Amino acid sequence: MPSVIDDSTRDFFTTYADDIMAADVHLNIEVEEVRKLHKNINKDTPNNPQKTKQNKKSQSKLEKTEGTGGTEGTAYSGEASSGSPIGNTERTKGTIINLDDAVDPLQDAEDSQIERLSFDELGIPCFIVKDDWFDLGGKRKPGVWWCYETAGSRDKSPAQVVLRICSPLYVDGVTNTENGHFFGRLLRFRDTLGKWRKWAMPMELLRGAGDELRGELLAAGVEIDQRNRARLSEYLQWNTPKKVVTAATRTGWTSKGGAFVLHNRIVGNEEVYFQSESLAADGAARSGGDYRQWQSIAALCAGNPVLIVSICTSLAGALLVKVHRDSGGIHWVGDSSIGKTTALCVGASVWGGDDFKRTWRATSNGLEGVAALLSDTCLCLDEINEADPREVGAIVYSLGNGTGKTRATRIGSARGVHRWRLSLLSTGERSITAMMQEGGKQAKAGQLVRLLNIPAARKFGVFDDLHHFVDGREMADYFKTECAKHYGHAGVKFIEYIINQDNDDFGATLAAIEQQFTHSDTQAARAASRFALYAMAGELAIEAGIVSWKQCSALEACKQMFTEWQTMRGTGATEHKQILQSVGDYLLKNGDTKFTDKGNPDDKPRADRAGWYLDKPGGRIYLFSSAALKEAGGNYDINRVLDALDSASWIVERDYGKRSKKTAITGGGKHSLYWIQPSEEVDHA
């Protein structure tokens, strides 16, 4: 019998039937009846085979393009559809066709190949996860599904409902830090392109509405049904997995020392995962390009101490915990365009690419988070002129101490602080001291031994040996280009080598190397210890075959740079020099206005009196009052000021057992004054 339904009427009923299936709760139509209606409408007569073929093709496309849950899935949900499935198909058809093979390998499979489930077997309510298409009251897409039964009512029987939550996502285990404070879930999921990924998700992301969690998963390629998104948090806590794995909340060595945690991989044999609130990490350690090509780059560093020490300093971050040393590093100082940034790029290529190199243009709070992300590796900061001079000193102390600020929560308790251990590589046209002076502060010795000022200028910019290059600019361009292509391999190879040397006494090795660095005071000793550590890292890299330099070349390069540091710093303790410089500057500024002639009672000061003076054959002696000496000493305690003056032999007279002298002043009685005679040779800090 010929068909009595024309094309326009057929299209109308096809659309109408699909809408009925997506919103049957409102129309109270049984599912089976809807299916029969849909089937009858699409049934064609033998007189029009071309029309039958087109309709079957159209129906196949409709089944492939289920949108956010599929036509049949929403038919069982007992909820209203947000729009026509056919309308959604037309808007997204091109994108879905391009990704069919990657996402749904069984989408075009025959019905006999699809796994068939029944509600009786599931034990609803429950969540199920399927990697491929399956049948549960109809063909279903891969993913996480929530299955339950409605309570029913007098007018309606209980209905079995299936809701799609997201694309395939498994909860493989419970994560927990070694101190038992931070729990999480180990998630395994398939992204939009079909690649399986893992993430140790902190449980704290489930707080509130869970928007942050869904944002991270969506960015990572998980497809979430927006209508059912609220059930995702419920799914992640539906059952507690029996498997418990160790979680690390910062990168670097584990407490057992058998594994090294990077943001995207674990080096070593321990089962541990990096647990963080974000799957992505801009500027984290990562590998790219070819390891052999990077070795060719490193080979050209031979004969160039600045480049060798940059690589050694970068590698040394992984040794800090092994030898129980604090964070610290090197600040390359020099004129613009000599290649300081090139040296930084070479050092950064040990652990990461272009984004591993950062700038000083950051707040101290921001750098705390970066340091925690790079613990046991290296923090590379370019151009100190971009920093706030008022914050430079605090940043150096913070990075060197390895501990961030303590902050309060909303309820007043202390938040967990960032902690790290790392090497520092920095560049700038000005030294740490000069930057802090611009901010109105004086550099402390503790800051200057945490980040060592070293002049970077050599024979050809930062280079001593150009190898086959025409000039320093050509060589610098080569290093920058190649380091952006090949990076991150040396750090991993170095960690693997350290793990394999588990029984070695790294502390004893470092102590032996330290004996080869001579020094004159305790601050120089601390600097010598840092250079010895960098030399040790370089020699271990040579021994492991990571770099092809000659044996002892790393040690010799570090010795050269230690000598450069000593020359730039001068001799003596930094605090002593700063105090003597401060007292000398005070006398230069106020000597003729605040001090009066002790032998002339009519000599009156033109400003607040700081003391008196006596002219003797050996030179002028200034008799400081206690208050004036405190002012002249700057920010140092009066006893520390006196220690420096005494050490420099600037105190020329005193009472027994004291550093002051009871002095009679005409018409003014006796006062305890400090008899100071500055030396003409003041070694400025």
Side-chain angles (χ1 to χ4, degrees):
M1 180 179 179
S3 174
V4 295
I5 303 177
D6 59 25
D7 290 345
S8 60
T9 305
R10 186 187 312 281
D11 291 340
F12 168 79
F13 278 104
T14 300
T15 304
Y16 178 69
D18 282 337
D19 286 342
I20 291 174
M21 294 172 68
D24 66 306
V25 66
H26 294 285
L27 300 177
N28 198 20
I29 297 177
E30 294 295 331
V31 174
E32 292 301 326
E33 294 180 5
V34 174
R35 286 182 175 170
K36 291 178 181 179
L37 176 61
H38 191 222
K39 182 177 180 182
N40 290 335
I41 291 174
N42 282 283
K43 185 176 180 181
D44 252 307
T45 65
N47 294 336
N48 196 354
Q50 184 65 29
K51 194 70 82 172
T52 302
K53 183 177 181 181
Q54 291 177 355
N55 286 343
K56 287 183 177 179
K57 183 177 181 181
S58 176
Q59 184 177 1
S60 175
K61 287 185 179 181
L62 175 60
E63 290 178 352
K64 287 185 179 182
T65 316
E66 291 194 31
T68 59
T71 304
E72 295 185 359
T74 52
Y76 283 98
S77 69
E79 298 179 6
S81 172
S82 59
S84 169
I86 293 180
N88 291 338
T89 301
E90 294 301 322
R91 288 193 295 270
T92 61
K93 178 172 61 176
T95 303
I96 292 179
I97 290 175
N98 290 337
L99 298 180
D100 272 348
D101 293 339
V103 179
D104 300 323
L106 296 183
Q107 187 170 352
D108 293 325
E110 298 294 335
D111 288 347
S112 60
Q113 295 178 289
I114 296 178
E115 180 184 8
R116 299 185 182 279
L117 303 176
S118 68
F119 287 99
D120 295 336
E121 298 172 347
L122 294 179
I124 57 176
C126 66
F127 288 97
I128 60 173
V129 189
K130 294 296 178 182
D131 298 345
D132 300 315
W133 287 73
F134 66 100
D135 187 289
L136 179 60
K139 192 176 180 182
R140 309 287 181 184
K141 291 183 67 174
V144 179
W145 292 79
W146 167 237
C147 309
Y148 70 99
E149 185 175 81
T150 62
S153 64
R154 179 183 301 174
D155 300 328
K156 187 175 181 179
S157 302
Q160 294 163 329
V161 182
V162 185
L163 300 179
R164 189 171 188 265
I165 310 302
C166 63
S167 54
L169 185 152
Y170 292 88
V171 183
D172 283 348
V174 172
T175 58
N176 181 219
T177 54
E178 291 177 324
N179 59 12
H181 288 172
F182 301 100
F183 282 85
R185 292 287 188 269
L186 181 59
L187 306 184
R188 176 168 53 90
F189 57 88
R190 192 168 69 189
D191 64 20
T192 304
L193 300 180
K195 180 181 178 182
W196 286 97
R197 303 176 62 183
K198 284 189 176 184
W199 176 32
M201 175 209 74
M203 290 296 289
E204 61 196 65
L205 286 183
L206 296 177
R207 63 182 179 267
D211 292 340
E212 294 177 2
L213 166 66
R214 292 193 295 272
E216 288 296 327
L217 290 175
L218 287 168
V222 176
E223 299 165 356
I224 301 175
D225 191 310
Q226 292 302 305
R227 292 168 298 180
N228 305 319
R229 62 183 182 271
R231 292 194 178 273
L232 178 60
S233 296
E234 183 182 349
Y235 163 65
L236 296 178
Q237 299 180 91
W238 181 254
N239 285 316
T240 302
K242 294 181 180 180
K243 183 178 181 180
V244 180
V245 295
T246 303
T249 55
R250 69 176 185 184
T251 60
W253 293 103
T254 60
S255 60
K256 296 179 181 178
F260 194 96
V261 179
L262 295 173
H263 193 274
N264 61 347
R265 66 183 297 182
I266 306 297
V267 183
N269 299 321
E270 294 182 30
E271 186 175 15
V272 61
Y273 291 88
F274 181 55
Q275 182 169 293
S276 68
E277 293 187 0
S278 176
L279 273 155
D282 182 44
R286 59 188 178 90
S287 301
D290 184 74
Y291 174 43
R292 299 298 177 189
Q293 289 297 322
W294 183 89
Q295 288 183 307
S296 299
I297 299 170
L300 293 173
C301 296
N304 294 290
V306 171
L307 302 184
I308 289 177
V309 172
S310 292
I311 290 179
C312 292
T313 304
S314 188
L315 288 170
L319 288 174
L320 291 171
V321 68
K322 301 295 182 180
V323 295
H324 309 291
R325 291 294 188 272
D326 295 330
S327 301
I330 286 174
H331 176 66
W332 296 119
V333 184
D335 295 338
S336 176
S337 302
I338 65 170
K340 301 185 301 297
T341 300
T342 300
L344 195 71
C345 289
V346 171
S349 69
V350 169
W351 296 104
D354 250 357
D355 58 348
F356 195 82
K357 175 177 67 68
R358 293 166 169 82
T359 72
W360 272 92
R361 190 178 181 182
T363 64
S364 57
N365 293 344
L367 286 177
E368 283 182 18
V370 173
L373 176 67
L374 304 179
S375 185
D376 287 332
T377 62
C378 184
L379 174 58
C380 302
L381 298 175
D382 194 22
E383 197 46 70
I384 198 171
N385 283 339
E386 294 186 2
D388 184 344
R390 297 168 296 179
E391 290 197 8
V392 167
I395 290 174
V396 171
Y397 263 138
S398 176
L399 293 177
N401 293 338
T403 306
K405 292 181 181 178
T406 300
R407 300 175 177 87
T409 63
R410 293 181 179 179
I411 61 174
S413 60
R415 290 181 181 175
V417 298
H418 289 303
R419 298 185 185 277
W420 58 84
R421 293 174 301 259
L422 46 70
S423 285
L424 296 169
L425 270 177
S426 169
T427 69
E429 296 175 25
R430 290 184 290 178
S431 66
I432 303 297
T433 303
M435 282 297 297
M436 292 186 63
Q437 286 176 346
E438 182 182 336
K441 297 184 178 181
Q442 191 175 50
K444 304 293 191 297
Q447 294 160 332
L448 299 180
V449 295
R450 282 169 170 80
L451 195 57
L452 305 171
N453 292 308
I454 304 176
R458 307 295 292 178
K459 188 176 180 180
F460 307 101
V462 298
F463 309 115
D464 290 79
D465 187 347
L466 293 178
H467 295 282
H468 59 274
F469 294 97
V470 176
D471 54 27
R473 178 174 292 278
E474 183 182 353
M475 191 172 188
D477 290 343
Y478 169 81
F479 275 116
K480 287 183 179 178
T481 301
E482 293 303 305
C483 287
K485 296 178 182 178
H486 313 288
Y487 51 83
H489 303 284
V492 174
K493 296 292 184 181
F494 190 66
I495 292 166
E496 291 174 346
Y497 183 76
I498 293 174
I499 292 174
N500 291 334
Q501 309 301 313
D502 185 53
N503 295 326
D504 280 12
D505 189 346
F506 293 105
T509 304
L510 178 61
I513 296 176
E514 286 177 338
Q515 299 301 317
Q516 303 187 47
F517 289 83
T518 58
H519 48 80
S520 57
D521 56 72
T522 56
Q523 292 168 16
R526 291 180 64 181
S529 180
R530 292 199 184 280
F531 278 106
L533 177 64
Y534 305 151
M536 176 181 169
E539 294 301 322
L540 286 174
I542 295 172
E543 185 180 298
I546 297 171
V547 292
S548 59
W549 309 329
K550 293 181 180 180
Q551 193 172 11
C552 295
S553 58
L555 176 60
E556 291 303 317
C558 289
K559 284 182 177 180
Q560 289 184 49
M561 293 300 103
F562 178 59
T563 301
E564 294 288 343
W565 174 80
Q566 287 181 307
T567 302
M568 186 174 185
R569 168 184 179 261
T571 58
T574 302
E575 291 96 336
H576 280 27
K577 293 188 293 182
Q578 289 178 342
I579 290 170
L580 297 180
Q581 178 181 333
S582 181
V583 173
D585 291 344
Y586 182 87
L587 290 174
L588 184 65
K589 180 180 179 181
N590 303 302
D592 294 331
T593 58
K594 291 191 174 185
F595 292 85
T596 58
D597 187 355
K598 181 179 181 297
N600 182 4
D602 295 328
D603 189 12
K604 304 295 182 183
R606 283 170 284 177
D608 296 337
R609 190 194 301 273
W612 294 261
Y613 66 83
L614 289 172
D615 288 322
K616 292 192 174 185
R620 177 169 290 187
I621 301 174
Y622 292 90
L623 282 58
F624 275 85
S625 67
S626 178
L629 191 58
K630 288 180 181 178
E631 181 182 353
N635 297 324
Y636 292 96
D637 180 79
I638 183 63
N639 290 321
R640 185 67 186 85
V641 173
L642 290 171
D643 288 341
L645 296 173
D646 207 1
S647 176
S649 300
W650 282 23
I651 302 176
V652 293
E653 290 195 33
R654 67 183 76 193
D655 291 332
Y656 179 77
K658 296 184 178 181
R659 287 184 284 201
S660 61
K661 180 179 177 64
K662 279 286 186 180
T663 307
I665 303 297
T666 304
K670 287 188 174 183
H671 301 274
S672 292
L673 302 176
Y674 297 96
W675 290 49
I676 308 298
Q677 186 176 35
S679 170
E680 293 182 359
E681 298 179 358
V682 178
D683 188 8
H684 283 224

